[in-house]
Amino acid sequence: MSLSIEVRQEADGAGKRILLTGTLDTETAPQLQSTIEKEITPDCDVVILDLKKLEFISSAGIQIVVRIKKMATANQAEFFLLNLQPQIRKVFEIIKVMDTMSLGVFSSVQEMDDYLKTIQDKAKQGE
Amino acid sequence: MAEDTLSKQFRIRPEPLASECGKLYSFIDTSLEALPVSNEFRQDFKLIIEELFANIIKHAYSRDADNKEIIFDLNISDCSVELVARDRGPEFNPLLHGGMSEDTDLSMGGMGIHLIKSVSDAQEYSRVENYNIFRVRKDFGNNS
């Protein structure tokens, strides 16, 4: 089993979407760790972890996700999980990490885009 | 007495390397192939074997240990699947040392035994002739 990582710049230029395909476990977690250390820079406003094609996650993978959340928070960036498949969501729910870490989880790109637009509109009104 | 028609045993001896995870998943897939269980059941067992293996390779053997033996046996009966993990590391019962609390720092690990307990029906530790032996059982039938 392997992990494929694709990093895309979001349309507004300030966000990064990290798409994972395959397995996130003890073997592949270091690969994601290396990627996020390079990609999550202070100028990122939003970090999105798209898990649509992630088939399996173990506690080693959860550990890395939590670290990504902490890195994003340290950079004052928003962090979201997108498209959790049922088995992936089950592992997150067992660990209760979504509530503990206040992770934003969205079922679709549209749902996330709507949320981000709401946030951006509120920010503009506050200017 | 009813005949145990599904009874089978399988064994794998992985090297103590993270790169062996893929072999363990294939082992589970192959061993459970003929069983009338759901995909979720199979995924749960992949999670169980990965968490057990990760714990062993992280804690059981020092870098210069001579014998880093790891054995996984999968015992299938008509109503349950049991995974038995054996290693020759120092005595360690994860049931006593694992678990999570509200203060658990999730970025540092320690979630493995909690996950195993959540997706299985029984767990048992024993120490026999310098082996740590950890058994995990998951029943099927009505709950698969």
Side-chain angles (χ1 to χ4, degrees):
Chain A
M1 303 292 274
S2 63
L3 179 69
S4 171
I5 305 171
E6 182 185 349
V7 182
R8 293 180 189 167
Q9 200 78 32
E10 286 294 280
D12 61 3
K16 288 210 173 146
R17 182 181 303 208
I18 303 169
L19 297 94
L20 304 183
T21 301
T23 303
L24 185 56
D25 61 9
T26 298
E27 179 183 4
T28 59
Q31 182 186 346
L32 181 57
Q33 176 78 32
S34 296
T35 300
I36 63 173
E37 284 170 357
K38 283 186 290 189
E39 297 291 344
I40 299 181
T41 52
D43 59 336
C44 281
D45 285 348
V46 179
V47 178
I48 301 158
L49 202 57
D50 192 330
L51 305 182
K52 185 174 184 178
K53 295 182 180 178
L54 191 69
E55 298 170 358
F56 178 88
I57 192 167
S58 71
S59 64
I62 298 287
Q63 206 171 318
I64 297 296
V65 172
V66 171
R67 286 189 190 155
I68 296 174
K69 161 72 174 173
K70 287 189 171 183
M71 288 174 68
T73 302
N75 288 332
Q76 297 181 310
E78 298 270 7
F79 174 69
F80 301 114
L81 293 177
L82 191 57
N83 295 323
L84 272 66
Q85 299 307 308
Q87 183 72 10
I88 307 300
R89 180 179 288 271
K90 175 178 169 177
V91 176
F92 273 92
E93 287 175 349
I94 289 172
I95 302 293
K96 295 185 172 57
V97 68
M98 290 188 287
D99 293 335
T100 306
M101 301 293 297
S102 300
L103 290 179
V105 180
F106 298 100
S107 301
S108 69
V109 174
Q110 186 62 54
E111 188 183 351
M112 185 186 68
D113 286 345
D114 290 345
Y115 174 80
L116 288 174
K117 187 173 185 309
T118 304
I119 298 294
Q120 288 162 359
D121 289 346
K122 282 184 181 173
K124 284 180 184 170
Q125 286 170 9
E127 286 174 354
Chain B
M1 188 167 65
E3 189 177 333
D4 191 349
T5 57
L6 294 176
S7 179
K8 280 187 179 174
Q9 291 81 40
F10 299 89
R11 170 171 283 193
I12 188 169
R13 293 174 180 259
E15 295 296 320
L17 301 167
S19 57
E20 294 278 87
C21 283
K23 286 184 187 174
L24 297 179
Y25 304 145
S26 297
F27 169 71
I28 295 295
D29 277 335
T30 302
S31 303
L32 301 186
E33 193 173 19
L35 276 192
V37 296
S38 64
N39 187 55
E40 183 178 359
F41 187 98
R42 298 169 206 280
Q43 290 290 85
D44 286 346
F45 253 103
K46 289 179 186 176
L47 184 62
I48 292 167
I49 201 170
E50 198 275 0
E51 298 294 344
L52 289 175
F53 183 62
N55 195 58
I56 291 170
I57 62 174
K58 190 174 179 182
H59 298 294
Y61 297 118
S62 62
R63 203 172 273 185
D64 54 359
D66 288 332
N67 187 344
K68 300 183 183 179
E69 185 179 28
I70 304 172
I71 303 172
F72 286 107
D73 286 311
L74 202 70
N75 302 317
I76 299 174
S77 73
D78 267 352
C79 59
S80 70
V81 178
E82 181 191 54
L83 183 69
V84 184
R86 289 181 173 83
D87 72 81
R88 297 169 69 95
E91 184 168 355
F92 180 78
N93 182 353
L95 296 173
L96 297 179
H97 298 280
M100 291 172 49
S101 68
E102 287 181 0
D103 300 328
T104 299
D105 183 349
L106 299 177
S107 68
M108 299 303 293
M111 301 169 261
I113 192 64
H114 180 71
L115 280 169
I116 290 171
K117 288 168 105 173
S118 296
V119 300
S120 61
D121 295 296
Q123 313 84 32
E124 180 187 303
Y125 170 81
S126 58
R127 179 80 178 177
V128 178
E129 295 177 1
N130 295 328
Y131 281 94
N132 291 307
I133 301 175
F134 195 74
R135 297 175 183 272
V136 182
R137 192 191 83 232
K138 190 169 173 70
D139 301 325
F140 65 87
N142 292 329
N143 296 323
S144 64

